[in-house]
């Protein structure tokens, strides 16, 4: 042990630590400075950044033995407070730099060190600094962060005042469509927002710390589990196995598709008979400390009989492949697509046919914050689970029978979540902490390592797609045929729905009158498939958008002109036969055309033999909602002080649910003259907030937004007097008028039939993407130098939130195109290995344009936004690589070795 005196945020503190303890652990656990976040624990994300003796360091890899006595340390808590923001923190709020907010304290500390080193930096200085110190962000796309640094420097240097920097509500009092900062921004920029691991530090002393015993192979029969040695280890309270689970020990997939050949109960909470994928949980060690729990977990003996591992859909579909779930075929769902006339005769007589095969990879979500959660039993037989869930009511229904508890005795609460990007649409650790709490009768806490985050949470399901298009000589698309295979991993939850998405969005954006296709869902032993931003669109639209360029070349047309000729116009229908809700695509292309022509000239002028540059475009379309009559509920309440409280379960994983709720409610309540600070938000606790549905599929702004609007209108109806003024709380009570109102809304939509035909979504989003990319011909490395997007997401609720979603989605699209993958379990289990995009991988030059077509079925004309920017930007990148150097990459990601091989083959 070592005893050191540290001056932390100007205060002298004495700490006693082991010499190999990390500085981050001492600051967080010893001094409760939880603004210091720990993400990767390997020095690859920068969330733990602090200033140590005037130098920026990553505290998660800084051992205490390397920290000199009398060291001076600055954390985010020492930079500013909620009552007195530093200009850096204020700039982060003004420019929307804090989305999920988990990486924000590290960036703010890094910026403090930067501006003390380079008081007047250029944008390139800022980018090089964040690259050097490995400050990583998965939400923002980085542009707003650089904007924030530049603005903060102006304030610090006296070129701008804090008053000029901060947002001001317009004179009319309306915040809809403005850059009003999200309500959680202050807590996020000051490090006072408690994420799951922060709350874990503050749990009661008797809380048990959990460690998982996990499979280290991908497919096996379990012959035995011996916990005797582990239970005798120091500090161990209990080792929980499947024998301790009173329920079905399965997570329900809630299958709704009648032709699915599975029963939906294929995912174990704790494996009992088989291991289905690497990382599957077999036992849970519950101990007094995490260290003791992990030591004991290593002593659990699991006797496994290895089985063939089917790590891809083709492998699992082989004739000699055994059934991964005995009794259920590995190909367990088929989705047909039939629109218009039979396509075979059309292809037989077509002037031009284009056909090719494509593959979209197992993209990992890679949030900076690893999965984390905790649970505690109540005195009356109740159980409460806190997690990063983005579907608290949905997950309650999925896990209650498996845990063995009545739904009315179970409560799920969403903690502030450090980004999920969809992986938390599936339950992850909720059932694990639930069964541990019930088995021990104690509060329990579990925090995944980043390795566990990567290896034991869901991933984007890869698609293997063949698509054909038939066109006339003048470029009119007459017919399309498609075949797609979905590698959904070992668990079937939502696999049928994802496969349906292939039918709904293949060729989306174009008036294709005749379509035939078939997709299938395949069980494999790789990572289970979970929702990921775009959910089906990035996988399937990649194929049709790349084929559009291939078809254009065959026709001798510019890819822009081919798209312009075929996009939705009045009379067109979607692949499901639905009439689009907006006809904005021609105008969006008109807006982009001069920029496209300029980009074509600029990239041609810039190209050399050593570096080839090109431009590519794509169109992306996505629906807002769950299929068919998607519904949502909220509640509003007039309070004694005449403020209003909105209760909803609009889960937030960085996308801005708090701002979505506030902006929509304020717009609805504007006739009352209410100010934003008079609206209070109570969110995401199944015990007190209504079932608003999960925060996925870009549904919340539309479906929950409409419910918010309905509830507010009912409240105003009760408060409105005959003269048009509004009653106070006292007057409402005196007249015996209710002060609480439930708002409900159901989308006027119809689910697709067995042939993929229907009107599944009431509202859609439309985007046009343009990538400018340069390829190093010696190495094959492609670098995107500029991204441009034109988006129609309806009327914009909040500009900061929408911009943030667009920039972040475009960045993830670049990652999907060029670097990101989770195929090699060992190689791809850390951020660098999996191709996480750092700031120099994403262009600073990202240009956004909006066409705000009001939506009939969106609240105040709004659509959603979150999925749109990842529908098809990766196709634009791949098309730009082809335009640059003539190499067509059809299997993502387009790593340098693939591009170089293509160059050599030319």
């Amino acid at each position: 042990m070592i005893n050191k005196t540290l001056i932390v945020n100007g205060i002298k503190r004495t700490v006693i630590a082991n010499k190999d303890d990390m500085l981050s652990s001492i600051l967080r656990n010893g001094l409760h400075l939880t603004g210091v976040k720990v993400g990767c624990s390997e020095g690859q994300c920068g969330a733990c950044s602090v200033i140590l003796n005037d130098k920026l360091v990553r505290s998660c890899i800084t051992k205490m033995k390397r920290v000199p006595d009398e060291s001076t340390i600055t954390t985010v808590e020492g930079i500013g407070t909620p009552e007195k923001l530093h200009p850096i923190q204020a700039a982060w709020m003004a420019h929307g730099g804090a989305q999920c907010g988990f990486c924000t304290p590290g960036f703010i500390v890094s910026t403090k060190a930067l501006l003390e080193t380079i008081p007047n930096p250029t944008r390139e200085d800022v980018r090089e600094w964040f690259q050097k110190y490995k400050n990583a962000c998965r939400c923002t796309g980085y542009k707003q962060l650089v904007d924030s640094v530049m603005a903060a420097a102006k304030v610090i240097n006296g070129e701008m005042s804090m008053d000029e920097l901060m947002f001001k509500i317009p004179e009319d009092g309306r915040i809809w469509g403005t850059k009003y900062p999200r309500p959680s921004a202050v807590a996020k920029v000051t490090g006072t927002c408690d994420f799951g691991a922060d709350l874990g530090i503050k749990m009661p002393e008797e809380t048990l710390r959990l460690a998982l015993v996990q499979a280290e192979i991908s497919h096996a029969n379990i012959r035995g589990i011996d916990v005797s040695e582990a239970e005798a280890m120091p500090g161990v309270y209990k080792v929980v196995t499947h024998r301790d689970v009173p329920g079905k020990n399965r997570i329900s997939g809630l299958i709704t598709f009648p032709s699915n050949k599975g029963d939906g109960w294929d995912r174990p909470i704790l494996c009992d008979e088989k291991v289905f994928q690497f990382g599957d949980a077999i036992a849970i060690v519950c101990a007094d400390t995490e260290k003791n729990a992990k030591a004991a977990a290593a002593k659990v003996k699991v006797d496994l009989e290895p089985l063939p591992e089917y790590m891809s859909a083709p492998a699992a579909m082989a004739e000699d492949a055994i059934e991964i779930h005995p009794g259920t075929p590995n190909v367990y769902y088929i989705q047909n697509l039939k629109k218009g006339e039979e396509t075979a005769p059309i292809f037989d007589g077509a002037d031009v046919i284009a056909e090719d095969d494509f593959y979209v990879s197992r993209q990992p979500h890679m949030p900076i914050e690893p999965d984390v959660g905790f649970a505690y039993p109540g005195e009356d037989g109740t159980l409460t689970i806190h997690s990063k869930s983005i579907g608290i009511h949905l997950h309650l229904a999925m896990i209650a029978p498996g845990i063995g508890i009545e739904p009315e005795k179970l409560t799920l609460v969403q903690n502030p979540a450090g980004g999920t990007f969809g992986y938390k649409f599936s339950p992850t650790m909720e059932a694990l902490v639930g069964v541990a709490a019930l088995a021990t009768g104690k509060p329990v806490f579990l925090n995944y390592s980043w390795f566990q985050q990567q290896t034991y949470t869901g991933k984007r399901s890869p698609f293997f797609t063949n698509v054909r298009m038939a066109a006339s000589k003048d470029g009119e698309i007459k017919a399309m045929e498609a075949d797609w295979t979905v590698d959904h991993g070992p668990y079937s939850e939502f696999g049928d729905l994802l496969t349906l998405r292939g039918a709904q969005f293949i060729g989306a954006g174009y008036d294709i009158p005749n379509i035939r296709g078939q997709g299938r869902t395949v069980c494999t032993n790789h990572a289970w498939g979970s929702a990921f931003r775009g959910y089906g669109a990035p996988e399937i639209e990649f194929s049709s958008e790349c084929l559009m360029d291939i078809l254009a070349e065959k026709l001798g047309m510019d890819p822009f002109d081919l798209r312009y000729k075929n996009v939705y116009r009045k009379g067109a229908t979607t692949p499901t036969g639905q009439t689009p809700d907006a006809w904005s695509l021609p105008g969006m292309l008109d807006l982009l055309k001069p920029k496209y022509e300029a980009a074509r000239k600029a990239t041609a002028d810039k190209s050399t033999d050593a570096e080839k540059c090109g431009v590519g475009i794509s169109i992306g379309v996505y629906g807002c909602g769950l299929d068919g009559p998607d519904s949502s509920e909220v509640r509003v309440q007039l309070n004694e002080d005449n403020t209003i409280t909105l209760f909803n379960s609009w889960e937030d994983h960085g996308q801005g649910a708090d701002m979505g709720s506030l902006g929509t409610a304020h717009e609805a309540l504007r006739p009352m003259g209410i100010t934003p600070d008079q609206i209070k938000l109570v969110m995401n606790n199944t015990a007190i907030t209504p079932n608003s549905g999960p925060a996925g599929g870009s549904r919340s702004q539309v479906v929950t937004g409409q419910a918010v609007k309905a509830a507010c209108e009912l409240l105003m109806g009760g408060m409105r007097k005959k003269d048009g003024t509004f009653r106070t709380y006292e007057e409402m009570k005196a007249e015996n008028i209710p002060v609480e109102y439930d708002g409900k809304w159901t989308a006027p939509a119809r689910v697709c039939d067995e042939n993929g035909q229907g009107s599944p979504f009431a509202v859609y989003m439309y985007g046009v993407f343009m990538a400018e990319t340069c390829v190093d011909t010696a190495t094959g490395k492609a670098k995107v130098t500029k991204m441009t997007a034109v988006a129609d997401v309806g009327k914009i609720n909040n500009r900061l939130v929408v911009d943030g979603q667009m920039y972040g989605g475009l960045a993830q699209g670049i990652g999907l195109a060029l670097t990101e993958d989770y195929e090699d379990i060992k190689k791809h289990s850390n951020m660098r290995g999996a191709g996480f995009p750092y700031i120099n991988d994403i262009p600073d030059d990202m240009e956004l344009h909006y066409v705000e077509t009001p939506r009939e079925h969106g609240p105040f004309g709004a659509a959603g936004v979150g999925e749109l920017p990842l529908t098809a930007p990766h196709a634009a990148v791949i098309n730009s690589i082809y335009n640059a150097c003539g190499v067509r990459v059809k299997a993502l990601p387009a790593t340098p070795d693939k591009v170089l091989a293509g160059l050599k083959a030319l």
Side-chain angles (χ1 to χ4, degrees), residues 10 105 318 328 340 364 369 396 399 524 656 688 721 803 835 843 895 898:
T328 301
E369 180 197 37
L396 190 152
I399 68 174
T524 74
I688 57 175
K721 298 178 182 179
D803 281 355
T895 49
K898 293 179 186 177

Side-chain angles (χ1 to χ4, degrees), residues 215-235:
E216 296 181 6
I217 60 176
S218 298
H219 196 197
N221 287 323
I222 298 176
R223 293 189 291 216
I225 305 171
D226 182 357
V227 302
S228 56
E229 185 178 356
E231 287 198 319
M233 292 283 286

Side-chain angles (χ1 to χ4, degrees), residues 42 59 186 413 717 848:
E42 294 181 345
S59 62
V186 169
V413 180
L848 302 179

Side-chain angles (χ1 to χ4, degrees), residues 125-140:
D125 289 335
V126 177
R127 288 169 59 82
E128 286 302 321
W129 181 276
F130 288 152
Q131 183 73 23
K132 177 182 177 180
Y133 289 100
K134 295 183 174 63
N135 288 108
C137 179
R138 188 61 163 158
C139 291
T140 63

Side-chain angles (χ1 to χ4, degrees), residues 656-850:
D658 56 346
M659 192 60 242
S661 297
L662 178 62
T664 306
H666 185 260
E667 183 70 1
L669 295 168
R670 280 187 68 224
M672 294 174 54
I674 196 167
T675 57
D677 62 337
Q678 292 176 300
I679 300 172
K680 301 176 181 178
L681 304 178
V682 176
M683 303 174 71
N684 303 321
N685 180 332
T686 61
I688 57 175
T689 57
N691 186 355
S692 306
S698 294
R699 64 179 292 280
S700 299
Q701 179 60 71
V702 173
V703 187
T704 303
Q706 287 283 40
V708 170
K709 181 173 179 281
C712 291
E713 288 172 348
L714 288 171
L715 173 61
M716 287 193 299
M719 295 176 66
R720 189 176 283 111
K721 298 178 182 179
K722 290 182 179 179
D723 64 359
T725 61
F726 294 89
R727 294 177 177 87
T728 64
Y729 177 88
E730 288 186 356
E731 289 171 328
M732 295 282 279
K733 284 295 187 180
E735 297 180 46
N736 203 28
I737 300 173
V739 294
E740 287 189 13
Y741 293 85
D742 293 328
K744 300 180 181 180
W745 192 77
T746 300
R750 176 172 54 87
V751 296
C752 292
D753 62 20
E754 67 276 8
N755 292 320
Q757 298 301 284
S759 301
F761 310 108
V763 176
Y764 286 82
M765 306 165 286
Y766 307 89
V768 182
F769 306 99
M770 183 172 73
E772 297 170 51
T773 303
C774 292
V775 177
D776 184 325
T777 56
T779 65
K781 182 176 175 59
K783 185 176 181 63
V784 178
T785 58
K786 182 175 181 178
M787 285 294 296
T788 303
V790 183
D792 183 359
V793 294
K795 302 299 289 184
I796 292 174
N797 177 342
N798 183 271
R799 184 70 58 147
L800 287 179
V801 167
V802 170
D803 281 355
Q805 289 296 285
M806 291 297 299
Y807 288 132
L810 293 175
Q812 290 179 347
I814 293 169
L816 176 58
L818 300 180
T819 59
E820 297 178 29
D821 204 2
Y822 180 70
E823 197 60 38
D824 184 320
I825 291 171
K826 183 176 181 181
K827 177 183 176 183
H828 295 152
S829 62
N830 61 55
M831 292 176 67
R832 279 191 167 278
F836 187 100
Y838 289 89
I839 193 166
N840 278 352
D841 299 310
I842 305 299
D844 191 40
D845 194 353
M846 291 202 280
E847 190 177 313
L848 302 179
H849 301 273
Y850 297 104

Side-chain angles (χ1 to χ4, degrees), residues 561-576:
D561 296 334
L562 178 63
R563 287 175 170 84
Y564 192 82
K565 182 177 184 67
N566 287 282
V567 291
Y568 295 154
R569 291 177 174 85
K570 288 188 178 180
T573 57
T574 70
T576 72

Side-chain angles (χ1 to χ4, degrees), residues 180-192:
Y180 187 91
R182 64 182 72 196
S184 58
V186 169
K188 289 173 177 176
V189 302
T190 56
T192 55

